[in-house]
Amino acid sequence: MILSLAWKNIWRSKKRSFVVIGAIIVGVWALVFMFAFYNSFIEAFSRNGVNHDYSHIQIHNPDYLIEPGLEFRLSEVEALEQSLNGSQSVKSWSGRQIVNGMLASPKTSLGVQIYGVVPDAEAQTTGLESQLLDGTYFSAIKRNPILISEKLADKLKVKVRSKVVITLQKLDREITAASFRVEGIFKSKSPRINESAAYVRLSDLQSLTAVTGLNEMAVYLNDSELILPVKDSLSAVTNDLVRTYREIAPEFDMMEQQSAMTKQIVTVIIMLALLFGIVNTMLMAVLERTKEIGMLRSIGMHKKSVFRMIILETCLMSLIAGPLGLFFGYLTNMWLETNGMDLSAYATALEEYGMDAIFYPSIENVTYPILMMVVIFTAFLGAVYPAIKAIKLDPLEAIRKL
Amino acid sequence: MSVIEAKSVSKIYNPDTIPVHAINDVSLTIEEGEFTAIVGPSGCGKTTLLNMIGGLDSVSEGHISVSGVNIADLNEAALTDFRLKNIGFVFQSYNLIPVLTAKENVEFVMLLQQSHQSAMDERADELLTKMGIKEVSQRRPAELSGGQQQRVAVARALASKPKFILADEPTANLDSHSTESLLDIMAKMNEEEKATFIFSTHDQRVIDKARRIITLEDGRIVSDEKK
Ligand SMILES: Nc1ncnc2c1ncn2[C@@H]1O[C@H](COP(=O)(O)OP(=O)(O)OP(=O)(O)O)[C@@H](O)[C@H]1O
Ligand SMILES: [Mg+2]
């Protein structure tokens, strides 16, 4: 009964109700879109990090973490190789020798990390080959080929087939150098790799350093769900340190926490704005009806029924608006999930952070009911003060104020 | 037992600042089935007296009992319930619920009493027919004339068969024709439904229709005649 009266009351001032309903729709839609956008941001960031830099799991000598250096190599490479090659869960893996050195061109020289890799394994694990902008992938140049990033190439002012010299310190502290020829120039989706990595063949690096063995193994899995079981089984065969990409790079967790916090803050801000709008509108609706509410109280409507009526009016509006906002948000996301959102105008800045220029916003289904509850709760909160005002009215008003 | 018994009732507004003695030592009894007018010049205390009888305003001195219940003994919620079950109200400016149809307005008090839909339907139809406004029962108040609206208001007040109906200047906003027909209908309801009416008025034609006339002056009863 009160429900149907509340429902009818909503439509007595259509314009005002539409403003409230419209505001809720826009607010909810904006939240859904913002959530989806953030999710795709995070998703792109971790996807690029996993696919082109860290892989799912990496293995190091525990001391390598304290001070990365040639001397801290993996101790049980063979056992690991066996375990990795025999695992159904592993898509590919790449063993690397990594050494810090100088890369010199006729113009200038730079400090870089030199990765000695097995070309095929590296291509399958980090997609290095697919990221070439220019040149070829360890096939055209027979002696000492090297791949460098576009960024390094610019700094060194070298091109494909240019000659560069690697200088490094061997384990016995003796300095050694060798000349390499640039075979390819790549642009990785990982900003870290673009900044300082150069790739050579493992065998070339091993003969330069006069050291066999590996400093790092990166493992790419068929499915990210498999990370923990594979980590456990690898830990069982080695004393070396097996870590997941989240353990290696805290920025993934940080990004996620930051995004969760940002989502919460924006939700609170939008809900606060809605809250003030609702309080204001409902207060107006109550004050306009002073006389009518007084009459209702006079003829025997209880305070709690009047209170409920005002609360219901507001919550009903949120029940109309909430689903509409969610639905529009859902449609927008559906469209963007298939078509993508082209942000190539900001490509340079985005690439700095390891993002893609095209976003595919997506959202967890659970977000919809949660947002719906938040909206209803906001409407309820916004109605409380006007409803209290309404029941504080003196029923005498009905007869006095003619 | 009398429906209403007022004993030495006084009302003083603003007792702490500028006291206004709106009602002074009024005693009166209303019996079931009365058709009583409270008359007197503006400011004599008609509205104040009706509000106190209706449990909308407090009594400063004395006490009022309705069917033997002292209304000063009731708390807020009990008083609301008491009004709902015992008193029908008709206001000068109709005060119908604008979003409901005439029929829904008539049913409203019964709704608050949680009556059955079929009983409400039947009662509302019966009253609207008696009031001669059956054909406009699906219209909203804004689509009705003042006279029609006030008839809906009387029907609403009668709907739940209250002990009595209070009407403060029910005809003040009506033209003479509507005034007369409203009074005729009230008189008819008084007969047919055995409804007790207490109304205030300035209007001589309304006074003429009353069967008991209580005249107030400066908050005191100066005459009380029955016809
Ligand atoms: N809320 C109030 N506060 C102070 N004084 C009041 C209040 N209500 C009424 N009065 C005073 O009490 C007296 C009686 O008022 P009341 O409204 O009962 O008169 P009335 O007979 O109904 O007048 P009218 O015919 O104009 O409606 C008047 O002097 C009025 O000024
Ligand atoms: Mg008056």
Side-chain angles (χ1 to χ4, degrees), chain A residues 396 400 402, chain B residues 11-14 18-23 38-51 57 92 168-169 200-202 216 219:
Chain A
L396 264 185
R400 290 256 181 250
L402 300 175
Chain B
K11 177 72 187 181
I12 305 163
Y13 286 113
N14 316 324
I18 317 148
V20 179
H21 290 259
I23 292 290
I38 296 180
V39 303
S42 185
C44 69
K46 305 182 291 292
T47 298
T48 305
L49 183 59
L50 289 182
N51 284 348
D57 209 347
Q92 177 178 333
D168 192 14
E169 312 219 23
S200 71
T201 187
H202 280 116
L216 288 182

Side-chain angles (χ1 to χ4, degrees), chain A residues 307-325:
Chain A
F307 189 86
R308 223 180 296 152
M309 179 178 78
I310 304 293
I311 299 277
L312 270 175
E313 275 179 40
T314 324
C315 288
L316 280 177
M317 282 197 271
S318 75
L319 280 175
I320 302 168
L324 281 175

